Amino acid sequence: QAQLVESGGGLVQAGGSLRLSCAASGRTFSIDAMGWFRQGPGKEREFVAAINWSGGYTSYADSVKGRFTISRDNTKSTVNLQMNSLKPEDTAVYYCAADRSYTRMIGIPSDISSWGQGTQVTVSS
């Protein structure tokens, strides 16, 4: 499995923007999908966005559509999450994920092979 390291979290006011990045290392040849999940205070981990490495397909949670954009840099094995128009309810620990299966990334998160340690995003009102 790959090793994932997130960066870019922090504190921002409502309406502001943040950009998260996740760099993969190790067994990156096995990756065909990367994504972001988040876990807010007292909540379960939830899907945010995912991207298919080979085809560039993307998927977003309804709560972030139109505000968040996921992108990839194949040469650097990096995935980014541009978050605009942030809301207090976006406050959470954001986790990067990687897997060989895009279908598993968006449908069976419990089976995803690689996870990062998480980065805190706090949106103040």
Side-chain angles (χ1 to χ4, degrees):
Q1 61 188 32
Q3 288 75 52
L4 308 177
V5 178
E6 304 103 333
S7 61
L11 173 65
V12 64
Q13 289 187 333
S17 299
L18 281 176
R19 183 179 176 87
L20 305 182
S21 292
C22 175
S25 61
R27 297 175 61 88
T28 58
F29 61 86
S30 64
I31 296 174
D32 197 42
M34 291 187 75
W36 292 93
F37 292 74
R38 67 186 182 186
Q39 187 166 15
K43 298 180 180 179
E44 294 187 353
R45 189 175 298 190
E46 64 176 0
F47 170 77
V48 176
I51 189 164
N52 164 256
W53 222 245
S54 54
Y57 307 117
T58 58
S59 181
Y60 295 92
D62 288 343
S63 59
V64 306
K65 281 181 181 177
R67 300 188 298 122
F68 291 11
T69 303
I70 190 169
S71 61
R72 74 193 193 283
D73 182 338
N74 289 20
T75 60
K76 298 180 181 179
S77 297
T78 299
V79 65
N80 303 303
L81 186 68
Q82 178 66 40
M83 305 185 295
N84 299 328
S85 302
L86 283 161
K87 305 175 182 180
E89 50 264 44
D90 293 318
T91 294
V93 177
Y94 283 70
Y95 296 90
C96 178
D99 198 270
R100 63 174 65 245
S101 168
Y102 180 69
T103 300
R104 183 156 52 224
M105 177 67 64
I106 64 175
I108 318 173
S110 59
D111 290 348
I112 290 172
S113 60
S114 299
W115 291 93
Q117 292 299 306
T119 185
Q120 177 71 45
V121 171
T122 303
V123 184
S124 63
S125 57

